[in-house]
Amino acid sequence: MVADTIARYKRMRGYDVVLLTGTDEHGQKVERAAKVARVTPQAYVDRISGEYRRLWNELGLQIDRFVRTTDDAHEHAVRRLLEQARDNGYVYKGHYEGQYCVFDEMYVDEPLPGNLCPECHRPTELVREENYYFKLSVFQERLIELYEKHPISSSRRRVEMK
C-alpha cells in the first residue's frame, strides 16, 4: 500500500512510474508450509499469490507488473544471468555452514543464547550446504567507489558490504 501511494504521488508529479512487485516462491519456509497444508509447493504458492492479487484488486492498488519467482519468464531470465556470470568466471562452487533462520531466510552470524535468531527470536538450525557463489570481490573497487558516492544509510546493510 505504501508503494502504491508513492507511485500515485510520483505519477501526479509527472514521473514515469512502473510499480513492480511479486512473490518469492522458493525456500524452506514455503516447502514446509506446503507440507503442513498437504499440497505441493507450487499449489501452495499459487494459492498465496492468488490471495495477494485478489486483495490488491479489492484495495484498488495499481500494480503495473507482478512477477512470481516460479514464472517461466523469471526462471529463464535468472538462468541466463547465472549462465553468463558462470561463463565469465564469476561463479564458483563451495560450501557454507552456519546457524540458519528458516523464518527470516538468513544465516545468523551471532545467534542469541539457545541459537535463537536475533531478528525474530525463533530457533535457528545448523545447516551445511553446497552452493554456488558469486565472486563479488572482482568488483570490490568499483563497489567501494559507488558506496562512497552514494552512502548506504542502513547500518545493517553497511555491515553486509564489508
Side-chain angles (χ1 to χ4, degrees):
M1 289 176 64
V2 172
D4 179 73
T5 301
I6 293 168
R8 288 172 191 248
Y9 172 76
K10 289 291 191 176
R11 284 183 187 115
M12 287 189 317
R13 301 285 308 218
Y15 289 85
D16 184 22
V17 176
V18 175
L19 179 53
L20 169 74
T21 190
T23 50
D24 180 359
E25 301 176 340
H26 294 91
Q28 292 173 334
K29 186 169 40 176
V30 169
E31 181 182 20
R32 290 176 183 181
K35 190 174 185 178
V36 168
R38 296 181 177 188
V39 297
T40 66
Q42 188 64 53
Y44 180 78
V45 296
D46 286 347
R47 189 185 84 224
I48 299 296
S49 178
E51 289 175 10
Y52 272 105
R53 292 179 122 176
R54 182 191 56 73
L55 181 59
W56 292 335
N57 285 336
E58 191 175 313
L59 292 170
L61 302 184
Q62 297 175 359
I63 309 297
D64 298 305
R65 189 144 178 250
F66 183 80
V67 177
R68 297 176 60 184
T69 56
T70 56
D71 286 342
D72 287 341
H74 177 76
E75 289 185 23
H76 176 73
V78 170
R79 181 177 296 110
R80 195 173 74 239
L81 176 67
L82 292 176
E83 287 172 352
Q84 186 177 6
R86 180 202 59 210
D87 293 348
N88 285 307
Y90 298 137
V91 175
Y92 65 97
K93 200 174 202 175
H95 78 275
Y96 188 86
E97 182 174 321
Q99 292 302 126
Y100 185 75
C101 176
V102 173
F103 182 82
D104 289 323
E105 297 180 347
M106 70 176 193
Y107 281 96
V108 177
D109 292 330
E110 297 180 24
L112 299 172
N115 287 329
L116 297 179
C117 175
E119 296 289 323
C120 69
H121 301 280
R122 290 177 173 87
T124 61
E125 302 173 12
L126 180 62
V127 172
R128 179 183 168 89
E129 64 181 3
E130 188 173 58
N131 212 332
Y132 290 93
Y133 294 92
F134 183 75
K135 292 182 183 176
L136 191 59
S137 60
V138 172
F139 303 95
Q140 185 171 3
E141 288 180 27
R142 282 195 266 173
L143 288 170
I144 289 170
E145 182 180 313
L146 176 70
Y147 299 147
E148 286 172 353
K149 287 181 183 175
H150 307 280
I152 298 170
S153 59
S154 166
S155 61
R156 180 176 168 207
R157 295 295 180 228
R158 247 190 331 270
V159 170
E160 289 176 357
M161 297 300 120
K162 292 183 179 183

